[in-house]
Each structure stands twice: as structure tokens, then as C-alpha cells.
């Protein structure tokens, strides 16, 4: 995700603080940035699919997703349950 020299200080810190090789630290930093960079819409779709696999019902899923969106590091706008449904099903 990051350019080659983009996050060298962070990669070096992660490598030092965790005894990882620099290549492993870079992969972890890139994975975290990718996770944090996920759009709210992609998050809604991913969580809906994951919760369906656990056997949850849509009414429970929509409420849970709304709660989880509000707790993310960079919260999404406050979506209504109807908006969450529309993100999933179009």
C-alpha cells in the first residue's frame, strides 16, 4: 500500500519494538493501513457477509454494523439502518 520509502520510520519502529525483520514489519504496517483505509461501504458489506455466516439475522446485523461504524478509528457518517441495507443490497 505504501510507497517504498513512505513509512520508513514507522517500519523501523515496528521492527525494533517487535523483533521482526524489516520486511515483516513493512508487511504488517501495510496490512494495518489497508485495514484502516477501508471505506465505510466496503466495511458494511464485509461485516454483513461475516455476520450472515455466523447465522445472525439482518435486523440484528444492521444494528450491530451501525454500532461498529461509530467505534472505528475514523468513524463513518451516522448511517440509518435503511442506509446500511441499501449499501448491502443496492
Amino acid at each position: 500500500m505504501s510507497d517504498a520509502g513512505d513509512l520508513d520510520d514507522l517500519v523501523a519502529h515496528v521492527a525494533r519494538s517487535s523483533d521482526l525483520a524489516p520486511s515483516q514489519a513493512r508487511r504488517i504496517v501495510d496490512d494495518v493501513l489497508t485495514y484502516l483505509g477501508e471505506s465505510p461501504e466496503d466495511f458494511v458489506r464485509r461485516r454483513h457477509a461475516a455476520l450472515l455466516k455466523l447465522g445472525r439475522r439482518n435486523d440484528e446485523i444492521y444494528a450491530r454494523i451501525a454500532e461498529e461504524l461509530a467505534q472505528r478509528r475514523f468513524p463513518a457518517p451516522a448511517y440509518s439502518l435503511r442506509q446500511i441495507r441499501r449499501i448491502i443490497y443496492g
Side-chain angles (χ1 to χ4, degrees):
M1 175 173 176
S2 62
D3 293 335
D6 193 15
L7 299 167
D8 289 342
D9 289 341
L10 178 57
V11 169
H13 172 74
V14 170
R16 274 192 317 273
S17 66
S18 63
D19 283 333
L20 293 173
S23 62
Q24 293 171 312
R26 180 161 302 277
R27 192 180 82 231
I28 289 172
V29 167
D30 285 344
D31 286 349
V32 169
L33 292 175
T34 298
Y35 175 82
L36 293 175
E38 182 178 39
S39 74
E41 293 81 8
D42 289 341
F43 173 80
V44 167
R45 289 183 193 101
R46 180 176 60 79
R47 286 299 291 150
H48 179 258
L51 293 169
L52 276 178
K53 285 182 182 178
L54 295 175
R56 304 296 192 267
R57 296 176 43 95
N58 274 335
D59 55 342
E60 176 189 351
I61 290 172
Y62 302 151
R64 183 165 176 178
I65 288 173
E67 289 174 15
E68 290 177 2
L69 282 168
Q71 296 172 6
R72 291 185 54 90
R73 173 76 169 93
F74 298 104
Y79 290 122
S80 68
L81 299 183
R82 180 174 183 229
Q83 288 172 311
I84 290 172
R85 248 189 334 269
R86 288 191 60 122
I87 289 170
I88 295 165
Y89 296 111

